[in-house]
Amino acid sequence: MAKATKRRFTDEFKREAVALWETSGRPQTEVAGELGIMPTMLRRWQRKLQEGGVPANPAAKPPVSTMASPADQASEIARLRRELGRARMERDILERDDVGLNR
Protein backbone atom coordinates (compact mmCIF):
# COMPACT_ATOMS: atom_id res chain seq x y z
CA MET A 1 0.00 0.00 0.00
CA ALA A 2 1.46 3.38 -1.02
CA LYS A 3 1.91 6.04 1.61
CA ALA A 4 -0.13 9.19 0.98
CA THR A 5 1.98 12.28 0.39
CA LYS A 6 1.40 15.29 2.58
CA ARG A 7 0.13 18.28 0.64
CA ARG A 8 1.83 21.60 1.26
CA PHE A 9 0.20 24.97 0.80
CA THR A 10 1.90 28.30 0.24
CA ASP A 11 1.49 31.13 2.73
CA GLU A 12 -0.30 33.06 -0.01
CA PHE A 13 -2.85 30.27 -0.47
CA LYS A 14 -3.43 30.13 3.29
CA ARG A 15 -3.97 33.90 3.53
CA GLU A 16 -6.33 33.92 0.55
CA ALA A 17 -8.28 30.91 1.83
CA VAL A 18 -8.80 32.56 5.23
CA ALA A 19 -9.73 35.87 3.59
CA LEU A 20 -12.27 34.09 1.37
CA TRP A 21 -13.85 32.42 4.37
CA GLU A 22 -13.93 35.60 6.46
CA THR A 23 -15.37 37.82 3.74
CA SER A 24 -17.77 35.41 2.03
CA GLY A 25 -20.16 34.93 4.94
CA ARG A 26 -20.34 31.24 4.04
CA PRO A 27 -19.84 28.36 6.49
CA GLN A 28 -16.32 27.14 7.15
CA THR A 29 -17.16 23.65 5.87
CA GLU A 30 -18.49 25.02 2.57
CA VAL A 31 -15.42 27.16 1.86
CA ALA A 32 -13.04 24.37 2.90
CA GLY A 33 -14.85 21.86 0.69
CA GLU A 34 -14.67 24.24 -2.26
CA LEU A 35 -10.90 24.57 -1.74
CA GLY A 36 -10.40 20.84 -1.22
CA ILE A 37 -9.11 21.12 2.34
CA MET A 38 -10.33 20.07 5.77
CA PRO A 39 -12.30 22.70 7.71
CA THR A 40 -9.89 22.33 10.64
CA MET A 41 -7.03 23.48 8.41
CA LEU A 42 -8.89 26.68 7.64
CA ARG A 43 -9.45 27.38 11.34
CA ARG A 44 -5.78 26.61 12.14
CA TRP A 45 -4.56 28.96 9.40
CA GLN A 46 -6.87 31.70 10.67
CA ARG A 47 -5.49 31.30 14.19
CA LYS A 48 -1.89 31.45 12.95
CA LEU A 49 -2.63 34.58 10.93
CA GLN A 50 -4.14 36.25 13.98
CA GLU A 51 -1.08 35.30 16.04
CA GLY A 52 1.26 36.51 13.30
CA GLY A 53 2.47 33.00 12.45
CA VAL A 54 2.02 33.31 8.68
CA PRO A 55 4.10 36.09 7.12
CA ALA A 56 2.21 39.03 5.66
CA ASN A 57 1.90 39.15 1.90
CA PRO A 58 4.95 41.09 0.71
CA ALA A 59 3.10 42.11 -2.47
CA ALA A 60 0.20 43.58 -0.52
CA LYS A 61 -0.05 47.32 -0.65
CA PRO A 62 -1.50 49.52 2.05
CA PRO A 63 -5.05 50.66 1.41
CA VAL A 64 -5.42 53.71 -0.76
CA SER A 65 -5.96 56.78 1.37
CA THR A 66 -8.58 59.35 0.46
CA MET A 67 -5.73 61.80 -0.18
CA ALA A 68 -3.85 59.60 -2.68
CA SER A 69 -2.68 61.26 -5.86
CA PRO A 70 -4.53 60.51 -9.10
CA ALA A 71 -1.47 58.62 -10.36
CA ASP A 72 -1.47 56.42 -7.23
CA GLN A 73 -5.18 55.80 -7.61
CA ALA A 74 -4.77 54.87 -11.29
CA SER A 75 -1.98 52.47 -10.36
CA GLU A 76 -4.12 50.84 -7.68
CA ILE A 77 -7.08 50.53 -10.06
CA ALA A 78 -4.85 48.86 -12.66
CA ARG A 79 -3.53 46.42 -10.04
CA LEU A 80 -7.04 45.60 -8.86
CA ARG A 81 -8.23 45.04 -12.44
CA ARG A 82 -5.36 42.59 -13.03
CA GLU A 83 -6.21 40.81 -9.79
CA LEU A 84 -9.89 40.66 -10.72
CA GLY A 85 -9.03 39.28 -14.16
CA ARG A 86 -6.91 36.58 -12.57
CA ALA A 87 -9.68 35.67 -10.10
CA ARG A 88 -12.24 35.47 -12.91
CA MET A 89 -9.92 33.23 -14.94
CA GLU A 90 -9.39 30.92 -11.96
CA ARG A 91 -13.14 30.81 -11.34
CA ASP A 92 -13.81 29.95 -14.98
CA ILE A 93 -11.23 27.16 -14.88
CA LEU A 94 -12.77 25.75 -11.72
CA GLU A 95 -16.25 25.93 -13.24
CA ARG A 96 -15.06 24.10 -16.37
CA ASP A 97 -13.46 21.41 -14.23
CA ASP A 98 -16.61 21.12 -12.13
CA VAL A 99 -18.80 20.75 -15.24
CA GLY A 100 -16.46 18.06 -16.59
CA LEU A 101 -16.74 16.10 -13.36
CA ASN A 102 -20.53 16.12 -13.42
CA ARG A 103 -20.85 14.40 -16.78
Side-chain angles (χ1 to χ4, degrees):
M1 183 184 253
K3 182 178 177 184
T5 59
K6 183 175 179 179
R7 295 186 304 168
R8 300 208 182 247
F9 299 96
T10 64
D11 290 340
E12 179 183 14
F13 180 85
K14 293 174 184 180
R15 281 189 298 275
E16 290 180 5
V18 170
L20 174 64
W21 173 36
E22 292 176 340
T23 60
S24 69
R26 294 183 295 156
Q28 175 184 2
T29 53
E30 182 179 320
V31 173
E34 181 178 295
L35 296 172
I37 60 173
M38 298 298 294
T40 54
M41 292 175 80
L42 203 50
R43 173 71 69 191
R44 189 176 328 126
W45 294 344
Q46 181 190 45
R47 209 173 313 123
K48 281 195 174 196
L49 279 168
Q50 291 170 346
E51 295 169 356
V54 177
N57 184 354
K61 295 184 179 181
V64 177
S65 72
T66 57
M67 300 303 285
S69 71
D72 289 342
Q73 290 177 351
S75 172
E76 179 70 2
I77 289 170
R79 184 187 70 79
L80 291 169
R81 285 184 176 155
R82 285 191 306 273
E83 186 177 325
L84 178 60
R86 178 178 170 219
R88 285 180 173 158
M89 182 177 60
E90 290 173 355
R91 179 203 60 204
D92 292 345
I93 289 169
L94 289 172
E95 285 177 351
R96 276 196 309 251
D97 288 348
D98 191 37
V99 169
L101 294 174
N102 292 329
R103 288 185 184 171

